[in-house]
Each structure stands twice: as structure tokens, then as C-alpha cells.
């Protein structure tokens, strides 16, 4: 079995590669990644020498390069993690989000049609459902919740989902889609809430909380997401959407305070800054379908997951310090200077 993993030099894709190579010694994994600012080859260092692993630097929008790789490797399965993934960047510059997230998905599915595969899996997000009000804790996203997006990022992911379902209905492409809540864990790029707050706290820098910090996210340890995708690939029904989330809703401000305490840093580092435009209030997944059909349940409790994550950032300073010292500095200045 050969599996193409696109975006495998990023946060979740790399964790998925580690999971699959560890669990299935007979599978061949080919990682396709453009190595944008978010892709980091050093993340894959530990698997580079594995004979069952190959890395190919390629843009999923590059039809010729993608077709060539399909002709060479004849993958059985494609799992598409490749995306522009940061909401704030999508607000600043939407275009590349439409290119990679929508048109890149189309190129991959065209290649799947041309060369034949047994499964195309689209890694999507709960953000396609829009948000839920804070005063209705009884509401959750199910797979039937209407698509109702807020940011250029979520709109591009929703467009891709619709295209994936269209390729299934129109061409019979054997697809599945997963829509997961916010992930956290090792190799999370330090522009996202949890790793950004850990890195800033360790450097005694201000912790920029958007608005009043009352927005709620439903956090899942990345390994649990990878296990859910593994299950969907092996046991999921073609043409279906599966929500993934572990009923772990938390307010941003509570997460940031928890990080301060864990690192023994003062809460006075917390700085309230201007809110994100169109900021979604609350995400909350109802994972009943994947639990009932595939027996999936999250295995890592938040208290344990956040402890492991903080320990990872303490043990792997070089990984994130290299990122912070590079091009990312310009992004940080642009996004956070004069934001108060
Ligand atoms: P990430 O930004 O850490 O990684 C994205 C990877 O895709 C990078 O390695 C980047 O180099 C690569 N990439 C970007 N454009 C590419 C292109 N045109 N061609 C080839 N490679 C390209 O993202 P992530 O957090 O690991 O997210 C992975 C997927 O999971 C995304 O599709 C995202 O929408 C989805 N998702 C993320 C979360 C989350 O909490 N992070 C939650 C649910 C769903
Ligand atoms: P983020 O990690 O960007 O994920 P998403 O927007 O996809 O959910 O942000 C998580 C939450 O944290 C979101 O409500 C925005 C907020 N946030 C801050 O308050 N400050 C920050 O510096 C960042 C990056 C995010």
C-alpha cells in the first residue's frame, strides 16, 4: 500500500506520518510538500532514512509535477493535509488560500481520477460550520450542520469540501472527509494560539489575547486526530463526512492562564489586543457519528496533552527558535505591532 500524504512537513501531516510509519511497517508513505513558511523539513528528520518513506518537494497546484509523481508511485490512497491554515493570514491575503486549498485539491482529485486510487481523504475543519453562540452550550456541530463560513480560510476549506463531494457524486471518486476541531501538540507552528503563548511566555514576551479572550475552541491532542483519520481510511464509508472532536471546550483566556501557571510565568504578561475581524465565538464538535460507526474516542485528556505539549516545546527549543528567528519575525511585527 502506498499512501500520498500532502502537507506532511506541517503540524498535523508530520504527526500523521509518524503514526502511520510506526503502526504499519509495510506501508510506503510519500510526503508531498511545497515547504511554504509552515513546512519544515527538519520536522521529518527522524523518518528521512526510513526505506518506506520518501519526501517530494512539490506544490499541489502544479498539475504536471503531481501527475508525474502519480505516474511514478501509483499511490493507493491520498490524504490531503496541504493547505494554507492560518485564519489571520487569510484575512490579510486571501488569494493563496483559494489557490492551494481549492485549486490544489482539484489538481489532486484530477490526478486520482486519471491514475485511479482506492481512497482520497480530505482533511477539513470544523470551521466550515461557522460558529456557535456562547449562550447556547447545548448546541454542537454535527455533520448535518449547514456550511456557514466566516473567514477566507474557512470559506476556502468549505469550497474544497463541496468540490470533494461533487467529485464523488459526479465521477464516483471514492472520497471521505474529516472535519476536526482545533489540534494541539508537538510541531505546531508558533503562529497558532497554544505554541505562540508557550514561546512568548518562555521568552518573557507579552501574551497577545484577542478581544477579551472569551472565544471558545474545542481542543484535541493531535495524535487522536491522526488515529481518527487512520480509522476513516481503513473502515470509513466512502462518500461520508466524519466530525472529529473530543468535547474539550475551553476559553482562550483560560488556556493562556494555564500556560502561564505551567511555566511559572506571571499573568501580567497577558496583553489584550484588538480582536480578529469576523472572529468566530465558539466551536464545538458532536463526534457521535465517528464514535458509533468506527468506535473512535479521544484517548488523551487535555491536562495530560497540554503537559506533554509544553514539555515538548521545552525539550525542542531549537525547532521553534529557528522558526522565530527567520522570516516569521516580519509576520509577527506586521500582525502584533500597534495592535492594542
Ligand atoms: P500547517 O500550516 O502546519 O501545515 C500545512 C503544510 O502544507 C505545510 O507543510 C506547508 O508547507 C504545506 N503546503 C501549503 N501549501 C502547499 C501547497 N500548495 N502544496 C504542497 N504543500 C503545501 O497546517 P496544519 O495545522 O498541519 O493543518 C493541516 C490540515 O489540517 C489543513 O488542511 C487544515 O485545514 C486542517 N486542520 C487543521 C486544524 C488545526 O487545528 N491545525 C484543525 C482541523 C483541520
Ligand atoms: P488559532 O490558533 O489561530 O486557531 P483558530 O483561529 O483556527 O481557531 O486561534 C485560536 C484562538 O485563539 C482564536 O479564538 C484566536 C485566538 N488567538 C489569540 O487570542 N491570540 C493570538 O495571538 C492567536 C494566534 C490566536
Amino acid at each position: 500500500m502506498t499512501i500520498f500524504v500532502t502537507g506532511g512537513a506541517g503540524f498535523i501531516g508530520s504527526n500523521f506520518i509518524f503514526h502511520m510509519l510506526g503502526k504499519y511497517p509495510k506501508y510506503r508513505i510519500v510526503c508531498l510538500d511545497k515547504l511554504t513558511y509552515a513546512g519544515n523539513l527538519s520536522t521529518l528528520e527522524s523518518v528521512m532514512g526510513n526505506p518506506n518513506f520518501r519526501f517530494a518537494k512539490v506544490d499541489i497546484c502544479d498539475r504536471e509535477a503531481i501527475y508525474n509523481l502519480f505516474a511514478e508511485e501509483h499511490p493507493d490512497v491520498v490524504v490531503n493535509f496541504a493547505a494554507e491554515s492560518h485564519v489571520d493570514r487569510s484575512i490579510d491575503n486571501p488569494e493563496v488560500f483559494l489557490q492551494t486549498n481549492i485549486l490544489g485539491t482539484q489538481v489532486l482529485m484530477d490526478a486520482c481520477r486519471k491514475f485511479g486510487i482506492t481512497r482520497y481523504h480530505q482533511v477539513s475543519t470544523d470551521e466550515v460550520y461557522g460558529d456557535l453562540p456562547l449562550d447556547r452550550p447545548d448546541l454542537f456541530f454535527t455533520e448535518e450542520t449547514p456550511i456557514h463560513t466566516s473567514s477566507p480560510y474557512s470559506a476556502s476549506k468549505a469550497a474544497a469540501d463541496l468540490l470533494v463531494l461533487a467529485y464523488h457524486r459526479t465521477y464516483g471518486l471514492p472520497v471521505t472527509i474529516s472535519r476536526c476541531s482545533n489540534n494541539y501538540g508537538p510541531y505546531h507552528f508558533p503562529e497558532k494560539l497554544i505554541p505562540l503563548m508557550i514561546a512568548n511566555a518562555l521568552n518573557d514576551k507579552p501574551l497577545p489575547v484577542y478581544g477579551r479572550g472569551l472565544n471558545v475552541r474545542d481542543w484535541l491532542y493531535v495524535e487522536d486526530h491522526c488515529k481518527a483519520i487512520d480509522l476513516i481510511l481503513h473502515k470509513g464509508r466512502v462518500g461520508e463526512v466524519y466530525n472529529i472532536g473530543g468535547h474539550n471546550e475551553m476559553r482562550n483566556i483560560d488556556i493562556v492562564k494555564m500556560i502561564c501557571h505551567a511555566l511559572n510565568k506571571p499573568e501580567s504578561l497577558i496583553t489584550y489586543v484588538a480582536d480578529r475581524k469576523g472572529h468566530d465565538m465558539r466551536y464545538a464538535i458532536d463526534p457521535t457519528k465517528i464514535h458509533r460507526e468506527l468506535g473512535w474516542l479521544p484517548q488523551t485528556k487535555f491536562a495530560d496533552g497540554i503537559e506533554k505539549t509544553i514539555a515538548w516545546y521545552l525539550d525542542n527549543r531549537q525547532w521553534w527558535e529557528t522558526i522565530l528567528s527567520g522570516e516569521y519575525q516580519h509576520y509577527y511585527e506586521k500582525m502584533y505591532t500597534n495592535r492594542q
Side-chain angles (χ1 to χ4, degrees):
M1 165 106 100
T2 295
I3 304 183
F4 272 14
V5 177
T6 68
F11 166 44
I12 309 174
S14 60
N15 278 282
F16 181 72
I17 289 171
F18 303 147
H19 167 80
M20 295 300 279
L21 284 173
K23 188 166 167 197
Y24 303 102
K26 292 202 173 133
Y27 287 8
R28 175 169 168 75
I29 305 282
V30 181
C31 169
L32 288 67
D33 201 296
K34 183 183 176 183
L35 296 180
T36 66
Y37 79 93
N40 204 329
L41 213 44
S42 75
T43 299
L44 295 171
E45 215 170 74
S46 64
V47 295
M48 278 299 185
N50 187 323
N52 290 337
F53 179 74
R54 173 181 174 190
F55 177 81
K57 185 177 184 312
V58 59
D59 182 342
I60 60 165
C61 302
D62 183 343
R63 192 174 286 274
E64 198 185 332
I66 291 291
Y67 282 16
N68 285 342
L69 210 56
F70 269 73
E72 208 182 312
E73 291 279 354
H74 286 286
D76 302 287
V77 169
V78 174
V79 186
N80 182 24
F81 291 92
E84 287 293 333
S85 67
H86 193 37
V87 172
D88 293 320
R89 287 183 192 256
S90 83
I91 294 167
D92 196 42
N93 179 18
E95 188 156 334
V96 67
F97 284 74
L98 310 191
Q99 276 159 0
T100 289
N101 300 3
I102 307 172
L103 297 178
T105 297
Q106 187 212 355
V107 168
L108 287 175
M109 289 195 299
D110 284 345
C112 289
R113 285 185 62 216
K114 187 173 162 68
F115 292 91
I117 38 94
T118 57
R119 180 70 65 81
Y120 173 87
H121 183 75
Q122 179 73 0
V123 180
S124 186
T125 164
D126 60 355
E127 301 193 25
V128 301
Y129 299 121
D131 66 351
L132 296 164
L134 289 181
D135 60 357
R136 290 292 308 274
D138 54 313
L139 295 181
F140 297 92
F141 297 137
T142 74
E143 290 79 1
E144 308 305 322
T145 302
I147 300 283
H148 187 85
T149 57
S150 314
S151 69
Y153 163 68
S154 56
S156 69
K157 293 295 289 183
D161 281 14
L162 296 177
L163 201 59
V164 171
L165 294 173
Y167 269 54
H168 173 62
R169 167 124 183 200
T170 305
Y171 307 117
L173 195 71
V175 307
T176 39
I177 296 177
S178 53
R179 294 181 180 148
C180 192
S181 60
N182 287 59
N183 285 212
Y184 67 101
Y187 300 108
H188 204 179
F189 195 86
E191 67 186 348
K192 306 283 169 59
L193 179 76
I194 289 181
L196 184 143
M197 295 300 166
I198 296 173
N200 280 17
L202 286 172
N203 288 330
D204 297 307
K205 284 178 63 177
L207 307 177
V209 171
Y210 298 167
R212 292 165 60 212
L214 303 180
N215 307 63
V216 169
R217 297 292 182 263
D218 184 358
W219 294 95
L220 184 73
Y221 194 61
V222 63
E223 215 172 82
D224 281 320
H225 185 187
C226 297
K227 287 178 182 164
I229 294 173
D230 176 2
L231 266 179
I232 294 169
L233 292 182
H234 289 94
K235 295 192 185 146
R237 286 185 293 135
V238 161
E240 293 293 317
V241 174
Y242 293 92
N243 282 357
I244 308 171
H247 282 304
N248 182 58
E249 291 177 51
M250 296 190 64
R251 300 188 311 177
N252 295 340
I253 187 64
D254 296 327
I255 300 246
V256 178
K257 285 184 179 170
M258 186 183 281
I259 291 170
C260 287
H261 296 162
L263 293 173
N264 212 10
K265 297 290 179 181
E267 284 184 14
S268 57
L269 284 176
I270 294 173
T271 312
Y272 293 94
V273 300
D275 210 350
R276 174 185 278 172
K277 291 190 181 80
H279 199 171
D280 281 337
M281 282 317 299
R282 170 176 168 250
Y283 301 144
I285 282 276
D286 175 353
T288 305
K289 180 174 174 181
I290 191 167
H291 175 54
R292 285 227 181 103
E293 281 191 21
L294 307 181
W296 179 87
L297 276 179
Q299 288 167 357
T300 303
K301 290 197 187 78
F302 188 75
D304 299 332
I306 196 74
E307 198 180 310
K308 278 201 271 186
T309 303
I310 291 174
W312 188 89
Y313 281 85
L314 284 167
D315 291 344
N316 293 276
R317 274 191 100 114
Q318 207 192 341
W319 181 87
W320 55 269
E321 277 176 350
T322 308
I323 291 169
L324 297 189
S325 65
E327 175 214 3
Y328 178 71
Q329 260 185 12
H330 303 295
Y331 166 83
Y332 197 87
E333 275 157 29
K334 189 171 172 194
M335 284 293 173
Y336 293 97
T337 306
N338 300 325
R339 188 163 176 156
Q340 265 99 325

